[in-house]
Structure formats: structure tokens, C-alpha cells
Amino acid sequence: MAEFNKDSLGNVLLVAISVCLVCSIIVSTAAVALRPLQQLNKELDQKENILRAAGMLPPGATVDAQGRGVDELFAEFEVRAVDLDTGEYVNIDVDDYDPLKAAKDPARSTDLTAAQDIATIGRRENISLVYLRRVDGKLDKVVIPVRGYGLWGTLYGYLALDGDVETISGLGFYSHKETPGLGGEVDNPNWKALWPGVRLYDSKGEPAVDLVKVRSPSGSQAAQYEVDALSGATLTTRGVQHLIDFWAGDLGFGPYLNNLRTSG
């Protein structure tokens, strides 16, 4: 009878394959089991970022001053789908719609020319989402998703406006690749605190936010549109400037926001 050789090539391969198979089953099972939790965490993070941009949730907190949590606060918002070309609402299932996925689909997005693509996003979804909060029947906040290329990658965030649809409530980014201490200062609460009260549009309805190195005198006409540039981060500052101009303009949410201002 031949002696069993546990160190033979065949046995080594069998053990390796068996270990790989068991590990793959464990990883796959864990991934499937954790997927619902991952989706819930993703949705919670999205809600938090929208609330922070709207100034309804303090930095780092998960409840407001009255002790209301993320889900309770976000329930005050109405989510609507908007055709970016017409600025009109469209009837789709907003719970299952992802504008970023739509932007990658040629059938559901628009390929931007170099002249149009000031935010360097490549394609723009045809339909996006907006988040509306009303108080006593009157519009109090409108939040729009924004994105654009900075120094090392795309910045993804939300821009919130007051009920007049002209005054900024806040700006926040939930994902970016900017350099810590430089472009990464987009996360600095002190810089984000400069945005509330800034005017998004000029008297002609054109995007007018201006990120500057030297501010105009307080109380001047220009000062109401100005935000401090990020020190030592010229390209990130330029990226923020361009993404604001794009999403507030005619190819972004400009038509919708104009409709909202004029017709309510």
C-alpha cells in the first residue's frame, strides 16, 4: 500500500483550494448579510449631510438643540425629482433613483462639451433630486446636490438655500480627495460658517458667488456675494467656484430654482 504523502503537490493544492473556497463563502455570506445595514448607514449619512448643509444639525452632532434625531428632522423634507433641462418636476420613484448612477448612463444623461463642463463632471444626469422643507406652508429650505472636480478628485456635497431661493443656508461636502490642511479645509467648520447669508444670484438672476483672497469692505454691494478662498489651495478653490457656478446655472438647477422663485 502506497504511503500517504501529505506534502505532495496534489495535497497542497487541495488544502489551498479548500481554504480559499471556505474563505470566499464566509466573505460572500458576510457581504450579503451586511448589505441592508450598509444601505441604512449610507442613507443615514446622506440625511445627516443634507441636514448639516441646511443648518439644522450642528457639526458632529446627531441631534439638534431640541433633541430631535436625524430621521425625525429629515422627515420634514419633501424629496422631488426635477428635469434639469426644463426645471419642472417629474413623477418617478425617488426612493429608488440615484442621480450619480443616471449620470453614467448615456440614455439618462447629457454629455457636456468642454465649454459647458466647467465643473469637470463629464456627463450630467437629466433628472436630479431636490429636498424641500416647508414651515406653515411656506418654503423654508431647498437643498440641491452639487459636485465638481477639485485638485485630486471630485467633491460631492449639498448646497442649501433659504426660502427666498437666493440666500445660501450652507454648503457641505461628504466626499472628496483634497489635501488635508489645504484643499481639505472644505471640511473646516470655520470655513463652512462663512457661507450662510451669502447671495447666490445677482439682480439679473445670474450665479454671483465669488471666492476671493481679499474681501470687499463690509456692507458693500460686492461683499454679499463673497466667501474667503481656501488658503494655499488655489485649484480646490477654483473647483468649488466652478461647481457652484455650474449647478446654480442654466445647465444645473438654474431653471428649477428660477421657477421656484417666480412661481413658488
Side-chain angles (χ1 to χ4, degrees), residues 81-90 107-112 116 124-128 246-247 249-257 259:
V82 173
D83 184 319
L84 294 181
D85 290 325
T86 65
E88 302 289 342
Y89 293 122
V90 293
R108 299 187 294 165
S109 63
T110 299
D111 187 17
L112 302 172
Q116 294 172 326
R124 186 221 66 186
E125 62 274 16
N126 295 331
I127 296 174
S128 193
F246 178 86
W247 291 106
D250 292 339
L251 290 170
F253 289 93
Y256 167 71
L257 296 176
N259 289 345

Side-chain angles (χ1 to χ4, degrees), residues 214-235:
V214 180
R215 298 284 290 273
S216 300
S218 178
S220 66
Q221 181 73 14
Q224 62 184 326
Y225 304 109
E226 293 178 346
V227 179
D228 288 346
L230 294 161
S231 180
T234 301
L235 293 181

Side-chain angles (χ1 to χ4, degrees), residues 49-57 77 141 143 160-162 169-170:
N49 281 287
I50 291 170
L51 292 170
R52 293 191 203 286
M56 297 173 61
L57 199 62
F77 281 86
K141 302 287 183 184
V143 183
L161 302 175
D162 288 337
S169 293

Side-chain angles (χ1 to χ4, degrees), residues 145-156:
V146 295
R147 67 183 186 276
Y149 204 86
L151 173 59
W152 301 114
T154 301
L155 299 99
Y156 298 88

Side-chain angles (χ1 to χ4, degrees), residues 196-208:
V198 173
R199 304 287 290 180
L200 180 61
Y201 294 104
D202 61 19
S203 59
K204 298 179 181 179
E206 297 294 328

